[in-house]
């Protein structure tokens, strides 16, 4: 994997770059739609690529390890072939999921023993096994296995957790170097910086991460309930340590506003379930503001979903029709809203990139922020 | 509306024709996907038209009358504009729905009083009101308001029901002639032949229907639990009465086998929820046979969904991946299966048409029947 830092915006840390992978290039800043079980919920891969314009999607190690299982993924030749997505794929390590979804019975130096949320079966995730699983899945970008402390964690716990994550990172890296890709293309491994909202822990975690000559680095454990200002401060602390010549990935973040703020602070990659999850609940992120499509005010509004037409659905359907579908409990509502929202997130990061390259990001950001955070 | 009977197949009553409407032409035999609430469940209209190749879709008067309501449909200029479908639309009258879905409190000479299945609100459907509602909806083909007796109805009840349906038909026709289309294109009204499985009642009902110079005629009340042979016999009885120069629509039927048998007996138009409903439950109708995609046997079958590629999803996805989605409860499973199944039904009727025109229908039908009725 190769990262070319193309431009840093005048007057901010916002960057435009280009990541080259075995499945093609990714222009940054980039939004990566979340496809936990190798499906971005409600969106055909064709539309994800050719309508929304997604350059890379996420999948989750925990979910794919449990179902369909690594054997089937190895048999077909990796997750790209399994789901028919030819562009890059990043897998989260499953660290977050074993602590949230699964019943993690025992966390130890070795790793985490957990019960599957699907059938209660017992499993052990260690740093080594998580790397092996990601080798079998065949992600272009693999993530280190980390412990994720809650956003409210006391400093003492946060520090102990961090130390465990650091030791796990060393084991992940060792396993990464000991193993080879199974499908003939390079797999990168990104360390994850933790440290809750303690600047010194964040700094220390970042310094620990950069000991490893990774292709990129991630910032985890944010947007988990802390004030947005704390999150932005942590991003600044961490990005002061991370090398400029490597991509920076802010995990699981966030609202469109969060993303613009993080881009301004030098983040290159984002993922978040909001466009699909909120879409399923009738929330539309548009270039004119946020819409709750179930609201009665849209019942006879026959204007396009979004005049900017970030997706073909924006002009194919009206607000009144989408409201009708949502109120009627029709699955097409979730499909349309999810596709639009993902396309909006992709559009927003593309626009940010355009303004970074044109050195107009600093003027553009507050104007765009004012528009897209309105409640319509 | 104009129907051109293009060809009747050598050695059978199977016909190929062409219906011209204000929203374009329909080549018959035709399968019409069911879009009850102005959405064919799980399928974007673009894919319905340009991937599956649907020429016309159904919507339902009962559902659209309740939600979004005729006021909103009038305000936007009809259901085509409301849902963004530019091809023809046929509306069922809602007769079947008030007796099945709604709590039909009182059926009388006047019509049927019912409570909405959505909010319990009280409504009255009369033949006149149902025509008015369909004028407001703006269907290219409207259906008469009929009473639908159960498939097990005794002859005495069947006959009384038929007589009521006949009197309602006369009132529908009167209202039809008294009113004008609201949106500038012709709306046809199809009478519906009832009579359960009593040949003499079917014949009488057909003779009653053809008193009205309709653009086409429908056969209702079949595939409601009676043996398939009884259904085929009723189709023969009715089609012996219906004029050859008008299209014949067999309502709510059925399996791919039912459709081929009915085509052979001179039916031109079909609708059925099976492709979408069964698709949502993991059943695929393919050119090689019927698949329950949830079956473990598909877990590592990386072949296309259907080698015939009736839809783009057939080669974009494998059986193993679709099984994974279905087992994981992912909505994409329903989307893929629904689109494939609708495309299969459309493909089947197109193939039938091709063989009718080539005078090879009689040889082709049993071969195709043997293939598509296999359980894989």
């Amino acid at each position: 994997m190769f990262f070319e830092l193309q431009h840093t915006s005048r007057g901010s840390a916002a960057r435009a770059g280009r990541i080259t992978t075995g499945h093609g290039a990714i222009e940054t800043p980039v939004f990566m739609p979340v496809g936990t079980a190798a499906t971005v919920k409600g969106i055909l891969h064709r539309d994800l690529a050719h309508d929304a314009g997604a350059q890379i999607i996420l999948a989750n190690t925990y979910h794919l390890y449990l179902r369909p299982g690594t054997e089937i993924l190895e048999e077909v030749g990796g997750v790209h072939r399994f789901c028919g997505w030819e562009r890059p794929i990043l897998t989260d390590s499953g660290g977050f999921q074993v602590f949230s979804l699964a019943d993690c019975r025992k966390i130890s130096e070795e790793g985490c023993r957990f019960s599957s949320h699907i059938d209660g079966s017992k499993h052990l995730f260690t740093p080594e096994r998580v790397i092996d699983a990601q080798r079998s899945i065949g992600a272009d970008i693999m993530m280190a296995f980390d412990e994720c402390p809650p956003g409210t964690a006391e400093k003492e716990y946060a520090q102990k957790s961090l130390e465990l994550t650091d030791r796990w990172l060393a084991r992940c890296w060792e396993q990464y170097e000991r193993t080879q890709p199974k499908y003939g293309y390079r797999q990168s491994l990104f360390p994850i910086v933790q440290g809750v909202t303690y600047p010194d822990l964040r700094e220390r975690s970042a310094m620990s991460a950069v000991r490893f000559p990774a292709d990129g680095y991630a910032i985890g454990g944010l947007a988990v309930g802390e004030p947005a200002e704390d999150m932005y401060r942590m991003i600044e602390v961490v990005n002061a340590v991370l090398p400029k010549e490597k991509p920076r990935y802010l995990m699981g973040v966030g609202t469109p506003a969060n993303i613009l703020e993080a881009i301004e602070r030098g983040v290159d990659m984002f993922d978040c379930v909001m466009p699909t999850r909120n879409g399923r609940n009738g929330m539309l992120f548009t270039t004119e503001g946020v819409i709750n499509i179930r609201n009665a005010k849209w019942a006879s509004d026959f204007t396009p979903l979004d005049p900017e037409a970030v997706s073909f659905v924006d002009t194919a359907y009206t607000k009144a029709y989408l409201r009708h579908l949502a109120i009627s409990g029709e699955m097409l509502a979730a499909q349309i809203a999810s596709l639009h929202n993902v396309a909006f997130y992709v559009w927003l990061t593309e626009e940010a990139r355009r303004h970074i390259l044109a050195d107009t990001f600093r003027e553009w950001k507050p104007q765009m922020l004012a528009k897209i955070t309105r409640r319509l």
Side-chain angles (χ1 to χ4, degrees), chain A:
Chain A
M1 198 179 106
F2 176 73
F3 178 66
E4 178 197 355
L5 179 57
Q6 297 172 310
H7 190 67
T8 300
S9 179
R10 178 183 53 76
S12 86
R15 305 132 51 95
R18 187 181 169 88
I19 301 170
T20 307
T21 77
H23 288 93
I26 303 160
E27 297 195 319
T28 63
V30 64
F31 177 74
M32 309 183 285
V34 177
T36 306
T39 159
V40 176
K41 291 185 194 299
I43 307 182
L44 292 156
H45 294 76
R46 174 202 59 184
D47 293 336
L48 203 51
H50 301 295
D51 184 61
Q55 305 180 74
I56 169 173
I57 58 174
L58 253 72
N60 192 279
T61 304
Y62 168 81
H63 287 87
L64 295 181
Y65 162 85
L66 291 177
R67 208 164 45 190
T70 50
E71 271 184 37
I72 284 177
L73 290 167
E74 287 192 9
E75 197 179 332
V76 70
V79 65
H80 298 77
R81 286 195 185 168
F82 182 64
C83 73
W85 175 258
E86 294 171 356
R87 299 182 180 185
I89 292 178
L90 180 152
T91 40
D92 194 1
S93 65
F96 184 75
Q97 284 68 32
V98 292
F99 301 114
S100 58
L101 275 182
D103 191 4
C104 179
R105 301 212 174 260
K106 191 157 172 264
I107 179 164
S108 66
E109 190 63 33
E110 181 188 24
C112 175
R113 290 186 187 279
F114 64 94
S115 301
S116 158
H117 74 288
I118 298 165
D119 61 4
S121 57
K122 303 276 189 288
H123 303 269
L124 170 64
F125 264 9
T126 64
E128 293 78 12
R129 289 192 182 189
V130 165
I131 295 299
D132 291 348
Q134 293 183 92
R135 288 290 195 199
S136 298
I137 293 169
D140 299 276
I141 301 174
M142 312 191 294
M143 301 303 298
F145 187 59
D146 57 340
E147 202 211 337
C148 305
T152 53
E154 296 293 326
K155 191 165 181 183
E156 194 185 356
Y157 170 44
Q159 181 165 340
K160 287 191 69 169
S161 166
L162 194 63
E163 288 163 2
L164 180 64
T165 289
D166 279 353
R167 292 191 299 275
W168 283 1
L169 171 58
R171 286 166 57 193
C172 279
W173 196 264
E174 206 172 319
Q175 186 70 2
Y176 174 59
E177 295 206 311
R178 200 157 40 212
T179 54
Q180 292 295 322
K182 291 182 192 287
Y183 313 117
Y185 52 85
R186 177 170 178 81
Q187 297 183 274
S188 301
L189 173 63
F190 282 20
I192 303 172
V193 174
Q194 290 286 355
V196 195
T197 50
Y198 303 104
D200 57 329
L201 295 187
R202 283 280 169 188
E203 189 175 11
R204 180 176 146 187
S205 180
M207 289 172 68
S208 172
V210 301
R211 286 179 299 147
F212 300 95
D215 290 338
Y217 298 91
I219 310 174
L222 290 176
V224 290
E226 79 285 359
E229 287 309 320
D230 289 358
M231 167 164 69
Y232 302 147
R233 178 84 192 102
M234 293 305 110
I235 295 169
E236 288 166 8
V237 166
V238 172
N239 279 351
V241 177
L242 296 181
K244 290 209 184 322
E245 68 278 12
K246 296 290 173 69
R248 300 152 175 175
Y249 162 32
L250 179 60
M251 302 181 76
V253 177
T255 64
N258 293 156
I259 288 178
L260 291 188
E261 295 293 346
I263 287 174
E264 188 168 36
R265 289 163 175 81
V267 174
D268 307 298
M269 304 165 71
F270 301 90
D271 78 283
C272 190
V273 295
M274 283 186 81
T276 43
R277 181 175 294 167
N278 293 22
R280 291 198 298 281
N281 293 324
M283 181 186 282
L284 285 191
F285 298 98
T286 81
T287 61
E288 306 213 302
V290 178
I291 288 175
N292 176 356
I293 201 68
R294 303 179 66 90
N295 197 304
K297 72 191 284 188
W298 310 114
S300 57
D301 185 322
F302 303 115
T303 61
L305 300 183
D306 190 330
E308 186 68 32
V310 296
S311 162
F312 93 92
V313 295
D314 293 350
T315 48
Y317 299 111
T318 65
K319 297 184 182 82
Y321 179 63
L322 183 58
R323 176 180 189 270
H324 163 71
L325 295 178
I327 293 290
S328 304
E330 288 286 347
M331 66 184 286
L332 192 61
Q335 295 170 237
I336 294 170
S338 298
L339 181 53
H340 164 80
N341 281 348
V342 165
F344 172 79
Y345 268 67
V346 170
W347 173 88
L348 185 66
T349 50
E350 285 173 355
E351 283 290 289
R353 176 180 161 83
R354 200 162 65 77
H355 285 281
I356 292 165
L357 289 171
D359 270 333
T360 50
F361 181 83
R362 206 172 61 170
E363 297 74 32
W364 169 80
K365 195 206 88 176
Q367 291 167 23
M368 183 51 58
L369 213 49
K371 280 180 70 181
I372 63 179
T373 53
R374 274 188 307 204
R375 288 262 159 190
L376 296 182

